[in-house]
Amino acid sequence: MIWKCGNYSFDTQVPVVMGILNVTPDSFSDGGSYASFDDAIAAACRMRDEGALIIDVGGESTRPGAAEVSEDEELHRVLDVVRALAANDICVSIDTRHASVAAACVDAGASIINDVSGFRDPEMVRVAASCDAGLVVMHMRGEPRTMQQEPQYDDVVVEVRDYLLAQAHMLESAGVDRARICIDPGPGFGKTAQQTVELVRNIQEFVRTGYPVMIAVSRKSYIGALYSIEVPQDRDKASAEEALMACELGACVVRTHNVAATVARLADVRPYAFIGLGCNVALVGSAEESQQSKIAQLEHAIAEICLIPDTQLIDVSGFYESEPAYLEDQDTFVNAVALIRTGITPRDLLHYLQAIEDSLGRVRTVKNGPRTCDLDILDYQLYLSSDEELTVPHPLLAERDFVVKPLLELAPFHILANGKRLTADAVKVGHAVRIR
């Protein structure tokens, strides 16, 4: 997926690191550190050299309980810094909730508007629609001064996700290109520590929206609570670990105070792979139980995938019933797609999957024939292969409805390792209907 930000475009298949540059006297962990122009420029250049692709400049503290500053004061703090960094070919993000500040900074060269209030202000929407900057739409309950006053949710993941989807769709309706939008669940903004943990442990639910997802957990108070680290500046190692976990779940933009530590840890992000699962031979005698038996067999296979060394199950699609493809005189199939992160090679992964098939009674006597369990590597991040043992991406993936539908459920705008975007346009066989 490509995130378009003015003159910059970011391939989000690998994490994009955004360095935090607060030119404020009162930010929660680094207030006053870069108050002078020279200090701010030096810090930004250092973060760029350490691996940050974006520098996020903020002139108003949005820590819990923070008082508002005037737009004139905020602009006074950030404008010269934004202009200087942009002139030095640095992709600049302006962290603001004020339309006048955003507009002035875009005019000065900023390529991203990072709005912690989620573009609730119609004037900010107009600014967004009138430029080509990338947009970060964040969720915040209330305002910084009041947001931590007993925040309550029935289901924090669902409510935050639905809010962000609504705001993103609103921006698109206003004329903003979808490819410019990134969403941020807003860890710690109007959420308790427990609510924030629930959000960041379920980042895949936000990835399913099809928008790039930012993870902005650096030095947050929930990390202090979770890891028993009181001083914000001492939370960098734990912050990097949380960022790694979120990126393995699918987050792709990482906002951080300590760029060097974060970049080093993100080097350990494992490749993702999509695994197709299918079954049309139920291991029960009753026709009424057939469909549930097929689902149970796929669930067993998924459990076995979880036991593959250095491999983590990230997400699983719903289950789909599909018509037989290629060899039609056989029972209907149940299919699903699993998304994993794995540190083993594609060929080793193939051998593990074949062993799981064998353990579930797979017999390979009839091509495209009945099977108790069929496991295919559909796509493996940044890996191409075409030989007798393994072809990746799977050569027939795009024409199979029973693969395309569940895969796009997990990753709506997925780009295969060969650079082709997966769509329903090429589907020819195996009509599939979701059953669970």
Side-chain angles (χ1 to χ4, degrees):
M1 188 187 312
I2 301 298
W3 183 28
K4 295 181 179 178
C5 304
N7 293 327
Y8 297 88
S9 293
F10 298 102
D11 184 349
T12 59
Q13 286 193 86
V14 293
V16 176
V17 175
M18 173 187 283
I20 299 170
L21 185 69
N22 287 320
V23 288
T24 56
D26 57 344
S27 289
F28 80 97
S29 79
D30 57 356
S33 297
Y34 313 122
S36 79
F37 175 84
D38 289 342
D39 287 345
I41 300 303
C45 291
R46 184 189 71 249
M47 288 190 283
R48 176 197 58 192
D49 294 343
E50 291 171 345
L53 298 181
I54 302 166
I55 301 298
D56 190 43
V57 180
E60 179 191 33
S61 174
T62 51
R63 61 179 171 78
E68 293 188 28
V69 300
S70 70
E71 294 179 34
D72 287 344
E73 174 60 23
E74 182 185 0
L75 195 56
H76 171 72
R77 294 174 180 178
V78 301
L79 190 59
D80 287 344
V81 173
V82 168
R83 184 179 289 113
L85 295 179
N88 278 279
D89 296 325
I90 291 176
C91 180
V92 180
S93 167
I94 178 62
D95 178 2
T96 185
R97 55 200 177 111
H98 298 123
S100 64
V101 175
C105 287
V106 169
D107 287 344
S111 297
I112 298 169
I113 301 170
N114 179 10
D115 182 3
V116 298
S117 65
F119 293 85
R120 295 189 302 227
D121 179 1
E123 286 300 317
M124 186 68 96
V125 175
R126 279 189 275 274
V127 172
S130 68
C131 68
D132 62 358
L135 309 176
V136 179
V137 184
M138 199 193 83
H139 176 275
M140 174 174 61
R141 177 69 61 85
E143 303 295 331
R145 185 172 53 84
T146 61
M147 63 186 178
Q148 292 306 105
Q149 295 176 3
E150 299 183 5
Q152 295 183 0
Y153 302 85
D154 291 328
D155 187 323
V156 66
V157 175
V158 170
E159 291 175 50
V160 172
R161 181 201 63 199
D162 289 352
Y163 170 84
L164 291 173
L165 268 175
Q167 292 303 100
H169 292 162
M170 175 273 295
L171 286 166
E172 291 181 56
S173 297
V176 172
D177 183 353
R178 179 190 178 98
R180 293 169 50 200
I181 299 172
C182 174
I183 60 174
D184 175 0
F189 281 80
K191 292 106 180 164
T192 65
Q194 182 57 45
Q195 289 163 349
T196 296
V197 170
E198 193 169 346
L199 278 180
V200 298
R201 296 296 184 270
N202 288 280
I203 285 293
Q204 74 278 2
E205 294 298 325
F206 297 89
V207 175
R208 282 186 175 215
T209 66
Y211 295 98
V213 177
M214 175 182 285
I215 187 70
V217 296
S218 182
R219 299 181 180 175
K220 291 289 177 71
S221 60
Y222 91 93
I223 292 178
L226 196 61
Y227 294 87
S228 300
I229 305 173
E230 184 175 350
V231 179
Q233 291 86 343
D234 293 341
R235 298 171 187 163
D236 288 346
K237 182 178 179 180
S239 297
E241 294 294 337
E242 290 286 306
L244 172 64
M245 190 183 311
C247 286
E248 292 226 320
L249 291 174
C252 56
V253 182
V254 180
R255 185 176 182 271
T256 181
H257 294 87
N258 190 326
V259 170
T262 303
V263 168
R265 196 67 186 96
L266 293 181
D268 293 329
V269 173
R270 293 170 293 186
Y272 62 71
F274 288 93
I275 309 300
L277 303 97
C279 170
N280 78 328
V281 177
L283 299 180
V284 295
S286 167
E288 292 77 14
E289 297 175 333
S290 174
Q291 187 182 89
Q292 290 305 312
S293 176
K294 294 171 187 175
I295 291 174
Q297 285 159 231
L298 295 189
E299 288 177 331
H300 184 91
I302 291 166
E304 291 295 318
I305 289 172
C306 293
L307 300 178
I308 297 174
D310 197 13
T311 297
Q312 180 182 357
L313 180 69
I314 301 300
D315 205 355
V316 182
S317 72
F319 292 97
Y320 290 74
E321 187 169 67
S322 66
E323 301 169 347
Y326 314 115
L327 184 63
E328 297 181 1
D329 187 18
Q330 56 181 318
D331 198 7
T332 57
F333 280 79
V334 171
N335 299 92
V337 169
L339 170 61
I340 64 172
R341 290 278 180 173
T342 184
I344 65 175
T345 69
R347 293 181 192 278
D348 285 344
L349 177 60
L350 174 65
H351 298 153
Y352 278 108
L353 296 178
Q354 289 172 338
I356 294 171
E357 291 176 335
D358 292 343
S359 73
L360 288 170
R362 172 74 186 271
V363 177
R364 299 175 177 83
T365 55
V366 180
K367 184 178 181 180
N368 298 316
R371 63 210 73 179
T372 55
C373 180
D374 185 20
L375 302 176
D376 290 325
I377 302 175
L378 304 174
D379 194 33
Y380 190 107
Q381 186 177 14
L382 303 177
Y383 182 86
L384 299 174
S385 175
S386 181
D387 58 41
E388 289 187 5
E389 182 184 37
L390 178 64
T391 300
V392 178
H394 193 287
L396 301 178
L397 184 162
E399 70 177 42
R400 295 176 169 180
D401 196 42
F402 58 84
V403 170
V404 172
K405 279 181 178 173
L407 197 157
L408 291 181
E409 178 185 321
L410 301 181
F413 295 89
H414 183 61
I415 305 295
L416 299 170
N418 59 13
K420 296 180 180 179
R421 179 181 162 190
L422 186 64
T423 70
D425 297 343
V427 165
K428 298 178 182 177
V429 298
H431 175 67
V433 176
R434 182 167 177 166
I435 54 176
R436 200 181 86 182

